[in-house]
Amino acid sequence: MSEQEHTEMEHQHEHTGPGYMTPQAAIERSEPETLAYVVGTHVGTDVDEPDFVAVVDLDPESSNYGEITDRIDLPNRGDELHHFGWNACSSSCHVGGLERRYLIVPGNRSSRIHIVDAQDREHPELVDVIEPETVNELDLSAPHTVHCIGGGTVIISMLGDADGDLPGGFLELDEDLNVNGRWDHQGEIDFNYDFWYQPRHNAMVSSEWAAPKTYQPGFDLDDVEAGNYGHELQFWNWEERTVEQTVDLGEEGLIPLEVRFLHTPEHAHGFVDAALSSNIFRFWKRDGEWHAEKVIDFESRDHEDWDMPVPALPTDILLSMDDRYLFGSNWLHGEVWMYDVSDPANPQYADSISIGGYFGDRQEVQGRELVAGPQMLQLSLDGERLYWTTSLYSSWDDQFFPEEAERGSVMLKADVNPRKGTMTLDEEFLVDFGDLPDGPARAHEIRWPDGDCTSDIWE
């Protein structure tokens, strides 16, 4: 029996809940995405309107292809929608009675958490709002990553305390999406950002950005000198909710952002992007200890408008569902890239697309000028279509790509050939968040209705 066949046998269990039984089943049984949910924010623009969740038509056979066909406008202004997630995913594929129905949509700047019912996939609606005071009572603020947990509960990483200082922590929602309390034991960590769990190894890994009071006003080089940005990974005992080991990535691991375990639940290794240091680290467990090492290094480049070399700033990464390719976005350099990580210790460059940013070879699509680099990524479950948006965070956009506030974000797409390891920009696809009735908006994270490469986890 081959290793793959053996792995598939280990996955076999009753499938009565949401999602797919295995990552391979997600590849084989999913239908091509026909719509996406994309969060948009007006924070930092001249538009005095609430943020929103956009429904984007991705069906190439549709007359509305590439258009926003519906949107949920939120009740308040200034939330700064950022990352969001589902109430249930493939981690609950063996739990009957659950369905992937509700989107949990936090405002990073307001600490307000919105519950959106997406049972009607084309016309979702807002059904509940958790107000900031309820979050602050637990001495938490600035929600970031949302992950569904097997059984219907939800965990959200929180980047600050009630005052916007350190330490951060984790908020837990119960099966009815009400606040259930803190998931963590307070004081386990200082910095917080993204996280991913791997139940078969009783493990969770979390990364570090900064306190809300540090990053929300914008980037300040003095904060780097003062040690106000994170550079460590925290490896947790998943069941006991305690930090088991801390790995310091050092100066080459400044601001470790997105963390991705391999999708295959038997594997105890993954990747993280150190944005400010412009490196990719892999991490793995061996003989009961977690380790990390740099495996990709993006060199800074000279620019006539900068008095220092411009870092690549890889702000997002994701793994294809078959764990073969690692995709990423170098926001300042303006590149989307893919590496073959079949051997995680020796990633092999496969392809890249240069577009937008400070060095992008291509500066417009369909006549639309691109005023920022690629940022948040999402990949189809079959690994053949890669999408991205261009906004990082309103105050950081204003510093590095100020035209984003006037022109708004775009959403672009590349066709991926996973057999050859190549990408081709789809010049027929463009979603222009600068051309909205209320005025320009910034677009950030992307989600598919039936699961995607950055939200589904398997137990």
Side-chain angles (χ1 to χ4, degrees):
M1 181 180 293
S2 69
E3 181 178 351
Q4 180 176 355
E5 289 171 332
H6 182 72
T7 299
E8 287 298 307
M9 285 293 292
E10 289 183 339
H11 278 309
Q12 299 306 317
H13 55 265
E14 188 178 6
H15 180 202
T16 57
Y20 302 91
M21 187 182 298
T22 66
Q24 186 62 31
I27 296 170
E28 296 175 355
R29 298 172 189 173
S30 62
E31 297 291 332
E33 65 286 350
T34 57
L35 66 83
Y37 302 119
V38 184
V39 292
T41 180
H42 289 299
V43 174
T45 71
D46 291 332
V47 179
D48 184 25
E49 294 293 337
D51 295 349
F52 59 92
V53 180
V55 181
V56 177
D57 190 329
L58 300 182
D59 183 356
E61 303 300 321
S62 168
S63 59
N64 297 317
Y65 180 54
E67 296 181 4
I68 296 173
T69 57
D70 196 9
R71 52 187 278 174
I72 306 112
D73 292 314
L74 303 182
N76 297 278
R77 290 168 169 75
D79 286 310
E80 183 123 24
L81 301 186
H82 197 58
H83 288 219
F84 65 123
W86 287 101
N87 68 305
C89 69
S90 293
S91 67
S92 299
C93 71
H94 55 288
V95 181
L98 283 175
E99 58 179 326
R100 194 196 313 259
R101 173 172 172 174
Y102 296 100
L103 286 165
I104 293 86
V105 189
N108 181 269
R109 201 173 283 271
S110 68
S111 299
R112 189 173 286 110
I113 299 171
H114 310 85
I115 310 298
V116 171
D117 185 347
Q119 185 176 38
D120 182 341
R121 296 307 204 202
E122 295 183 357
H123 304 288
E125 60 178 347
L126 180 70
V127 294
D128 197 10
V129 178
I130 300 170
E131 295 295 343
E133 294 75 13
T134 304
V135 175
N136 294 159
E137 286 177 0
L138 297 167
D139 202 18
L140 293 169
S141 69
H144 191 269
T145 300
V146 177
H147 270 307
C148 41
I149 306 300
T153 57
V154 171
I155 297 177
I156 306 173
S157 61
M158 309 294 291
L159 275 52
D161 66 12
D163 297 321
D165 294 313
L166 298 176
F170 293 88
L171 181 73
E172 182 174 11
L173 306 184
D174 64 19
E175 295 86 344
D176 296 320
L177 304 180
N178 297 312
V179 172
N180 196 38
R182 289 185 72 119
W183 177 85
D184 58 319
H185 305 293
Q186 193 164 5
E188 287 286 329
I189 57 172
D190 288 324
F191 296 100
N192 203 5
Y193 183 72
D194 192 29
F195 72 104
W196 194 287
Y197 62 99
Q198 199 75 318
R200 296 195 187 190
H201 290 274
N202 189 29
M204 183 178 90
V205 57
S206 62
S207 58
E208 300 183 335
W209 190 9
K213 283 185 176 177
T214 298
Y215 72 78
Q216 287 185 347
F219 176 74
D220 187 337
L221 203 55
D222 289 341
D223 282 321
V224 180
E225 298 292 334
N228 293 334
Y229 287 107
H231 50 83
E232 296 179 340
L233 295 180
Q234 315 292 340
F235 292 94
W236 296 69
N237 182 310
W238 175 243
E239 293 180 355
E240 295 184 6
R241 307 181 181 189
T242 55
V243 176
E244 202 166 58
Q245 186 181 340
T246 297
V247 174
D248 189 344
L249 304 179
E251 292 186 357
E252 293 200 287
L254 287 173
I255 311 186
L257 293 181
E258 313 300 336
V259 285
R260 316 293 187 203
F261 267 118
L262 266 63
H263 295 289
T264 305
E266 291 82 6
H267 289 169
H269 55 261
F271 297 90
V272 60
D273 55 317
L276 191 58
S277 303
S278 296
N279 297 318
I280 306 299
F281 281 74
R282 77 167 179 125
F283 54 85
W284 72 100
K285 191 174 188 179
R286 183 178 61 209
D287 299 330
E289 294 287 325
W290 291 97
H291 308 268
E293 67 174 3
K294 184 182 67 174
V295 290
I296 302 174
D297 188 354
F298 298 104
E299 293 188 3
S300 299
R301 300 170 64 177
D302 293 328
H303 191 283
E304 59 184 7
D305 295 335
W306 281 55
D307 57 8
M308 59 177 283
V310 181
L313 211 74
T315 47
D316 192 19
I317 59 171
L318 66 76
L319 279 160
S320 59
M321 193 56 76
D322 62 1
D323 291 328
R324 178 177 179 185
Y325 291 109
L326 183 71
F327 294 83
S329 56
N330 289 353
W331 191 53
L332 294 183
H333 284 189
E335 290 178 338
V336 174
W337 47 262
M338 63 186 292
Y339 276 71
D340 187 331
V341 291
S342 301
D343 177 359
N346 296 287
Q348 300 296 309
Y349 171 82
D351 201 2
S352 62
I353 294 176
S354 177
I355 190 166
Y358 282 85
F359 300 96
D361 293 336
R362 186 184 303 275
Q363 296 291 338
E364 65 175 40
V365 172
Q366 296 185 20
R368 166 61 151 95
E369 186 180 5
L370 305 176
V371 296
Q375 220 281 107
M376 292 308 295
L377 306 170
Q378 194 51 266
L379 182 69
S380 61
L381 291 172
D382 62 8
E384 297 187 0
R385 294 165 299 283
L386 180 73
Y387 301 79
W388 64 88
T389 56
T390 56
S391 172
L392 175 60
Y393 198 78
S394 62
S395 47
W396 291 49
D397 291 352
D398 289 345
Q399 284 181 274
F400 297 103
F401 296 111
E403 287 185 83
E404 186 94 333
E406 303 171 6
R407 302 293 303 275
S409 298
V410 296
M411 179 177 171
L412 299 174
K413 166 180 172 271
D415 293 312
V416 181
N417 186 328
R419 289 160 295 282
K420 296 181 178 179
T422 59
M423 295 186 290
T424 306
L425 181 70
D426 180 355
E427 297 192 49
E428 301 301 315
F429 182 86
L430 170 76
V431 184
D432 190 352
F433 282 75
D435 186 24
L436 301 178
D438 296 329
R442 308 172 197 270
H444 199 68
E445 191 164 50
I446 305 165
R447 291 263 172 250
W448 310 139
D450 297 312
D452 49 56
C453 294
T454 55
S455 63
D456 274 80
I457 292 175
W458 279 266
E459 290 199 352

